[in-house]
Amino acid sequence: KLNKKDGVDDLVLMETVSEESIVENLQKRFKKSEIYTYIGPVLLSVNPFQTIRNLYGPTKIQQYCGRYAYELKPHVYAVAETTYRNLLSAQKNQCVLVSGESGAGKTEAAKKLLEYITAVSGSSRTGQKNLKEQLLRSNPVLESFGNAKTSRNDNSSRFGKYMQIMFDYGGAPTSASITNYLLEKPRVVGPADGERNYHIFYQLIAGQDFAEEQYNFSLQLPGPGTF
């Protein structure tokens, strides 16, 4: 949809493409709380750093379920819908890449993708329900070992995550695996000034009862050669 006043929802529709015009278009949409914009098949999101009412949730999921990407406004749910429907129709593996700078909202985008797929996929069997819950609950655990406070973000992901979800022929999830990679190891032995180590170390200390002397312990961080 081409709208010069409010900006376009797909950057390929812009009459003039330049860094200035792209930023201006994103600013127009951002002011209207439109944080998602297409670049062809690619979805660009801008972190609003605030809660936008009715942007997510069961009602919004129902709106995008079974719809083509360009029928509705750009949204992370549209990407999830396209990916899941292509998986079912083509019977071929699908992949979604979430990338961006620190604080851009990568973790939240991944959560919303998973939220959508778990909502629209599968049957009501107990095992599959449990699998969906386990996938949704895995993020906080992974973030403890891979997220840290940086100068730009209090909860910044300092690792990459590759998640695989296996489905049966009916589209129900049957199993999943998560692989961590590219962990920022230097942070373990030498975080920068004003930044923190990974959350798990502080959580261990916070859970320690220092009032009871017999429970005191020393947490020694490994050196670079032993990590």
Side-chain angles (χ1 to χ4, degrees):
K1 299 176 182 179
L2 186 58
N3 189 324
K4 293 183 179 181
K5 180 180 179 181
D6 299 328
V8 297
D9 56 14
D10 191 336
L11 296 182
V12 301
L13 298 177
M14 296 179 63
E15 296 178 357
T16 302
V17 179
S18 65
E19 181 177 347
E20 182 180 0
S21 62
I22 290 174
V23 171
E24 181 181 358
N25 188 80
L26 295 177
Q27 287 178 334
K28 289 178 180 179
R29 294 180 59 76
F30 185 83
K31 290 178 179 178
K32 294 181 57 186
S33 295
E34 300 285 356
I35 64 170
Y36 293 116
T37 305
Y38 286 129
I39 309 176
V42 177
L43 180 69
L44 175 65
S45 64
V46 180
N47 193 336
F49 292 102
Q50 62 179 326
T51 300
I52 299 178
R53 189 177 179 182
N54 299 324
L55 185 59
Y56 307 108
T59 301
K60 185 67 69 172
I61 288 175
Q62 288 301 316
Q63 290 178 6
Y64 281 84
C65 185
R67 306 291 292 272
Y68 289 105
Y70 292 99
E71 288 187 71
L72 300 172
K73 293 181 179 180
H75 200 288
V76 67
Y77 286 165
V79 174
E81 168 66 19
T82 300
T83 303
Y84 183 63
R85 298 307 165 186
N86 285 344
L87 174 73
L88 296 181
S89 61
Q91 295 290 303
K92 292 184 179 180
N93 295 337
Q94 304 292 313
C95 182
V96 177
L97 175 64
V98 181
S99 180
E101 294 186 352
S102 175
K106 299 183 296 297
T107 300
E108 190 65 20
K111 288 179 182 178
K112 296 307 178 184
L113 286 165
L114 186 57
E115 175 183 87
Y116 184 90
I117 292 175
T118 55
V120 302
S121 64
S123 68
S124 59
R125 284 187 289 177
T126 301
Q128 290 167 345
K129 281 187 175 181
N130 290 340
L131 175 61
K132 295 178 182 181
E133 288 299 317
Q134 290 173 9
L135 288 173
L136 292 173
R137 292 175 181 176
S138 66
N139 267 316
V141 178
L142 292 173
E143 288 179 3
S144 292
F145 289 89
N147 284 27
K149 178 184 181 299
T150 68
S151 59
R152 300 178 61 184
N153 188 356
D154 287 345
N155 188 38
S156 178
S157 298
R158 313 313 301 164
F159 71 108
K161 178 173 64 178
Y162 183 70
M163 176 185 293
Q164 284 184 303
I165 306 176
M166 278 61 76
F167 299 84
D168 61 21
Y169 286 103
T174 58
S175 61
S177 66
I178 300 175
T179 303
N180 291 332
Y181 62 102
L182 297 178
L183 183 68
E184 191 181 81
K185 296 180 180 179
R187 180 173 295 273
V188 177
V189 294
D193 292 340
E195 298 193 348
R196 299 205 324 173
N197 215 308
Y198 293 108
H199 295 331
I200 185 61
F201 297 117
Y202 305 94
Q203 291 167 347
L204 285 171
I205 298 298
Q208 173 67 24
D209 186 1
F210 289 102
E212 299 292 336
E213 185 177 351
Q214 63 268 31
Y215 292 120
N216 287 342
F217 64 92
S218 297
L219 180 63
Q220 297 181 344
L221 302 184
T226 59
F227 182 74

